[in-house]
């Protein structure tokens, strides 16, 4: 909002008071009354621009030894207080709804990320447990396979003493028997794994 008046200082008040005290002054009656009312007001005293223009014209026409800008040296512009219009209740209600909706969306976004992280963590643990079980099954199978071969070799070696007297022949026969048992065990193992994978 633009200024429409001056806040006059002591210099203006003193000079105008002197001007009003002069009975022979040619000051117009209407302007005289306005200036009296202005000086009688409690401080801060305001001087409207319209009254200031009339006073300036009078000083120029009468040839007074001082000018208006000299009277207003210690004065300042009067800026009226800006009065904020009341807020529209409907607009306030809409803004509150929008704020609530945005806050709810932000909350859902945050909680969705948290739930996704929990699901990922749970899925990772489940996959890890399944992998551990698979590795355990493989280890057990390999161990059984080795135990079967070693057992077959030992049994063949011990039983061949009734057929062969030389150690070399006994070792060869034990290796052959262990190989046959190992191949048979390997065949069974492959067929079992194919069955678990769903292959014919």
């Amino acid at each position: 909002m633009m200024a429409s008046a001056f806040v006059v200082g002591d210099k203006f008040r003193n000079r105008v008071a002197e001007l009003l005290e002069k009975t022979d002054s040619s000051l117009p009656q209407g302007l005289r009354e306005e200036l009296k009312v202005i000086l009688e007001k409690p401080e801060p005293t305001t001087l409207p621009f319209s009254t200031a223009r009339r006073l300036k014209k009078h000083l120029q026409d009468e040839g007074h030894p001082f000018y208006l800008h000299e009277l207003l040296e210690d004065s300042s512009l009067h800026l009226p207080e800006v009065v904020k219009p009341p807020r529209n209740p409907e607009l306030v209600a809409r803004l509150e709804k929008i704020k609530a909706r945005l806050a709810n969306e932000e909350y859902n976004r945050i909680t969705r990320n948290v739930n996704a992280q929990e699901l990922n963590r749970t899925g990772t643990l489940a996959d890890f447990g399944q992998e551990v079980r698979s590795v355990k099954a493989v280890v057990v199978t390999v161990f059984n396979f080795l135990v079967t071969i070693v057992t077959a070799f030992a049994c063949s070696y011990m039983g061949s003493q009734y057929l062969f007297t030389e150690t070399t022949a006994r070792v060869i026969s034990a290796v052959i028997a262990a190989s046959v048992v190992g191949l048979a065990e390997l065949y069974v193992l492959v067929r079992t794994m194919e069955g678990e994978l769903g292959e014919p």
Side-chain angles (χ1 to χ4, degrees):
M1 187 176 294
M2 297 180 60
S4 60
F6 294 103
V7 179
V8 298
D10 293 336
K11 187 172 184 179
F12 177 87
R13 297 174 66 89
N14 295 334
R15 285 296 184 92
V16 172
E18 293 175 3
L19 186 62
L20 293 176
E21 289 175 359
K22 292 180 180 180
T23 57
D24 58 345
S25 174
S26 59
L27 194 65
Q29 186 63 28
L31 181 59
R32 178 185 293 273
E33 294 297 331
E34 287 185 25
L35 294 175
K36 283 184 178 180
V37 172
I38 290 173
L39 294 182
E40 291 174 357
K41 289 181 180 180
E43 296 185 4
T45 305
T46 58
L47 173 68
F49 285 173
S50 58
T51 305
R53 282 192 293 267
R54 293 171 58 192
L55 179 60
K56 176 184 177 182
K57 185 177 185 302
H58 171 74
L59 295 176
Q60 289 177 345
D61 294 342
E62 297 298 323
H64 284 279
F66 52 86
Y67 298 94
L68 180 62
H69 70 273
E70 295 176 351
L71 301 180
L72 298 175
E73 284 182 354
D74 58 347
S75 302
S76 61
L77 289 175
H78 173 66
L79 298 175
E81 183 180 356
V82 178
V83 179
K84 295 182 179 180
R87 301 180 69 181
N88 189 345
E90 295 181 359
L91 179 60
V92 173
R94 289 180 60 188
L95 291 176
E96 293 298 329
K97 289 182 179 179
I98 292 173
K99 289 181 180 179
R101 189 182 75 237
L102 292 177
N104 191 28
E105 291 177 356
E106 180 67 15
Y107 174 78
N108 291 334
R109 185 183 65 82
I110 295 175
T111 54
R112 183 170 62 249
N113 293 337
V114 172
N115 292 335
Q117 292 177 0
E118 291 180 354
L119 290 175
N120 291 335
R121 189 182 301 113
T122 304
T124 302
L125 291 176
D127 294 340
F128 179 74
Q130 185 176 0
E131 291 177 1
V132 169
R133 288 191 295 272
S134 299
V135 172
K136 182 178 179 181
V138 171
V139 171
V140 171
T141 303
V142 172
F143 179 75
N144 290 336
F145 178 76
L146 294 177
V147 169
T148 302
I149 293 177
V150 171
T151 304
F153 178 84
C155 292
S156 299
Y157 181 79
M158 295 298 294
S160 62
Q161 65 179 340
Y162 300 105
L163 299 175
F164 307 103
T165 56
E166 295 181 3
T167 304
T168 305
R170 294 174 59 190
V171 170
I172 294 175
S173 62
V175 169
I176 294 173
S179 300
V180 173
V181 172
L183 291 174
E185 184 72 19
L186 185 60
Y187 174 80
V188 174
L189 178 62
V190 170
R191 296 299 296 178
T192 303
M193 292 180 64
E194 288 179 353
E196 292 178 355
L197 294 175
E199 297 180 358

